[in-house]
Amino acid sequence: MSQTQFVLGVPPPTWNDGEEFRIHCGISDGLTRNIEPIGNQFLAYVRRKLNNYSFSDDERIQAEAATEQAEEIILEDSEEETSELLNRDPKDWKEQDHYAVLGLSKYRWKATEEQIKHAHRRKVLKHHPDKKASSGDTNDDAFFKCIQKAHEVLSDPVKRRQFDSVDDAIDDEVPSSKAKGDFFKTYGPIFEREARFSNKTPVPMLGDINTSKPEVEAFYDFWYNFDSWRSFEYLDKEDTDSTDNRDDKRYIEKKNKAERAKRKKEDNIRRGKLIDQALSLDPRILKFKQEEKAAKEAKKREKEDAAKRAEEETRKVLLIKHFPLHYFSSSFHSRLVAQMLL
């Protein structure tokens, strides 16, 4: 165990302990602490010791490994970059598909932070202006600016939510009520997409034909009380930063808020229509109604049968009271009473 020693410096001649210093409490006793080395420098030290590397050897090997990793990242870029995408104007960044720019079109709102980080690094290694210049490519850095803007939006949780709220690549139209096909295959993916806007988690999914009645009721109850975080700031036509005048800023903000509220209301109506339509077409609802009807009819029949049995018992008791016991000894009389009981 190592010990740290230090010596206090000599105070200046002008220092007066009576005027400039007061002791409020004594110095506590020393404590023994275990200090664990951590960090990149320590890891590098251990790596050199274990492999018997010099500083230069370790740096060279790490650089080679980083280069190989970068090449692997570039090779993973399987999404096609169309000429339209590569020739985008970075000034029109609000019109660009940020997921497509980073090669994440197939993931979109499901892309994780790690995937976004990885995709950005891959694109930077491929399109960095310095790399293009070294290879003799004199093209401008317009697409690189698009890459940087896409990363800026998708790596910021607030900005990403704003973009995901209005992502044109995801169809949020309500299907026709007359559309043919399996109900669960049609509406299951729609509710899964809608679930991404929920403030409450977990979000119940549609399920299948075998989902129980309590689960189905809980599903529709949740969706009829859906709490959405979806917002529409991304579609603001005017930016408050475009002017320094406070009155103009207030006017623009008021106008933007009104437009957002209008879109929010339309979105709530759209989602309500989706839920109403799904409820009306859900085969489980019809199945539950049929089961309830069958149960009521069975209960009604059981009640009627019980009443009929009680009536027969009453008739039997009355007959026994009106006819003497020896009356039943005759077979003729017995048949006569039996017919009366029918």
Side-chain angles (χ1 to χ4, degrees):
M1 182 185 303
S2 62
Q3 295 183 349
T4 302
Q5 297 180 351
F6 59 91
V7 179
L8 295 175
V10 179
T14 58
W15 182 76
N16 187 320
D17 62 345
E19 297 179 357
E20 303 180 23
F21 182 74
R22 293 289 185 277
I23 298 177
H24 296 281
C25 62
I27 300 176
S28 62
D29 296 334
L31 298 175
T32 302
R33 301 288 190 187
N34 293 325
I35 300 176
E36 298 182 3
I38 59 172
N40 293 332
Q41 298 302 323
F42 172 71
L43 293 176
Y45 168 79
V46 173
R47 191 169 55 244
R48 289 192 300 271
K49 282 293 184 182
L50 291 176
N51 297 290
N52 197 26
Y53 291 157
S54 64
F55 276 91
S56 58
D57 289 339
D58 185 62
E59 290 176 355
R60 176 179 52 79
I61 293 171
Q62 292 302 308
E64 292 175 354
T67 302
E68 291 177 1
Q69 185 180 12
E71 291 175 352
E72 290 177 359
I73 291 174
I74 292 175
L75 290 174
E76 290 177 7
D77 186 11
S78 58
E79 192 167 302
E80 181 184 0
E81 295 176 336
T82 64
S83 58
E84 181 182 358
L85 182 69
L86 294 172
N87 293 320
R88 286 204 60 86
D89 186 345
K91 293 180 181 179
D92 298 330
W93 61 270
K94 271 202 168 185
E95 306 299 325
Q96 77 177 21
D97 182 346
H98 299 306
Y99 289 110
V101 170
L102 294 185
L104 296 171
S105 295
K106 62 182 178 181
Y107 299 106
R108 309 205 74 78
W109 55 275
K110 293 183 179 180
T112 64
E113 293 181 8
E114 190 62 29
Q115 286 175 318
I116 292 171
K117 181 180 178 181
H118 195 73
H120 174 248
R121 185 181 178 190
R122 180 173 64 233
K123 292 293 183 178
V124 167
L125 288 170
K126 184 175 181 180
H127 295 282
H128 197 283
D130 292 344
K131 182 173 182 179
K132 288 187 175 183
S134 63
S135 62
D137 190 345
T138 58
N139 289 341
D140 61 20
D141 59 350
F143 186 63
F144 182 75
K145 291 179 181 178
C146 293
I147 294 171
Q148 296 300 82
K149 193 63 183 182
H151 180 254
E152 176 191 330
V153 171
L154 298 182
S155 61
D156 184 298
V158 175
K159 293 180 180 179
R160 185 182 180 187
R161 273 193 168 193
Q162 292 175 356
F163 176 72
D164 285 341
S165 293
V166 298
D167 189 354
D168 290 335
I170 297 178
D171 182 16
D172 60 359
E173 290 295 323
V174 177
S176 171
S177 59
K178 298 180 180 179
K180 297 182 179 179
D182 183 80
F183 171 80
F184 300 101
K185 289 182 179 179
T186 300
Y187 285 87
I190 296 176
F191 279 104
E192 182 182 353
R193 290 196 300 267
E194 290 291 326
R196 72 189 191 277
F197 297 127
S198 178
N199 277 316
K200 298 178 182 178
T201 55
V203 180
M205 291 293 101
L206 184 61
D208 54 35
I209 192 64
N210 298 315
T211 303
S212 66
K213 183 180 178 181
E215 289 177 303
V216 173
E217 291 176 343
F219 169 82
Y220 284 107
D221 181 65
F222 179 93
W223 282 93
Y224 272 117
N225 296 279
F226 192 80
D227 182 14
S228 173
W229 56 256
R230 191 175 191 181
S231 61
F232 298 90
E233 294 93 338
Y234 199 85
L235 299 178
D236 288 349
K237 295 179 180 179
E238 296 185 68
D239 189 356
T240 54
D241 294 334
S242 62
T243 179
D244 294 328
N245 186 285
R246 286 184 296 177
D247 292 335
D248 289 343
K249 283 180 179 290
R250 282 194 291 266
Y251 172 75
I252 292 173
E253 183 60 27
K254 182 179 179 181
K255 188 176 179 181
N256 287 339
K257 283 184 177 180
E259 192 64 28
R260 294 171 202 164
K262 179 184 176 183
R263 289 193 173 101
K264 185 75 172 180
K265 182 179 179 180
E266 291 173 349
D267 185 59
N268 290 336
I269 293 173
R270 176 197 62 82
R271 186 173 56 255
K273 180 182 177 182
L274 169 67
I275 301 168
D276 288 341
Q277 187 167 293
L279 180 64
S280 66
L281 297 174
D282 196 329
R284 297 168 301 187
I285 302 300
L286 177 60
K287 182 182 73 169
F288 296 149
K289 287 181 179 179
Q290 291 173 342
E291 290 174 351
E292 288 177 1
K293 183 179 180 181
K296 286 181 180 179
E297 290 177 352
K299 190 175 181 179
K300 182 179 179 181
R301 286 195 300 270
E302 183 180 348
K303 188 176 180 179
E304 291 174 350
D305 291 342
K308 188 176 181 180
R309 287 193 298 269
E311 183 181 356
E312 291 176 353
E313 290 297 326
T314 302
R315 290 173 62 188
K316 287 180 181 179
V317 171
L318 291 174
L319 285 172
I320 291 173
K321 286 182 178 180
H322 284 82
F323 292 95
L325 186 62
H326 68 271
Y327 193 81
F328 294 94
S329 59
S330 168
S331 60
F332 170 75
H333 290 157
S334 297
R335 287 196 299 272
L336 180 62
V337 171
Q339 289 177 359
M340 293 174 67
L341 291 172
L342 295 175

